[in-house]
Amino acid sequence: MTGAGRGIGFALVEKLASDPDNIIFAGVRNVNLDADHALARLVAEKGGAVMLIEISSANKDNNTAAAQLIKEKYGRIDVIIANAGEFPSSFIGTR
């Protein structure tokens, strides 16, 4: 799950983690920065069901490395939820 640190991504991770058969890789841009947020608390509560993984939707090499890491550890990826969003700063007006 990309964009798992907040909003819709966080809510989906939280919901999916309620099923003990799921293992969720919660994708964030910087694992160290997100270690202090609600997602880190969810990771701690759920034990091995939710794991933080560093991934950026804008970085192909980073995505490939994350997929390889998951495949090596678990043998497969069943579902990918590409939830991360980018908002170009050129759309933000100034006052």
Side-chain angles (χ1 to χ4, degrees):
M1 164 84 65
T2 60
R6 61 181 186 262
I8 293 170
F10 178 79
L12 285 171
V13 168
E14 192 172 38
K15 177 67 175 167
L16 291 169
S18 66
D19 182 338
D21 292 332
N22 291 334
I23 298 173
I24 301 106
F25 288 88
V28 293
R29 286 188 191 125
N30 187 320
V31 172
N32 296 322
L33 289 178
D34 285 299
D36 296 327
H37 299 294
L39 184 58
R41 288 189 294 278
L42 182 63
V43 169
E45 289 171 11
K46 297 298 180 178
V50 180
M51 291 171 253
L52 288 178
I53 189 165
E54 196 162 311
I55 190 166
S56 172
S57 59
N59 184 325
K60 183 180 176 184
D61 292 337
N62 181 267
N63 295 339
T64 301
Q68 189 62 34
L69 177 95
I70 295 167
K71 186 177 176 188
E72 286 173 6
K73 187 165 183 147
Y74 293 96
R76 69 181 201 267
I77 298 173
D78 293 327
V79 177
I80 296 174
I81 300 174
N83 171 65
E86 298 287 328
F87 192 81
S89 61
S90 62
F91 289 137
I92 300 172
T94 57
R95 293 182 193 229

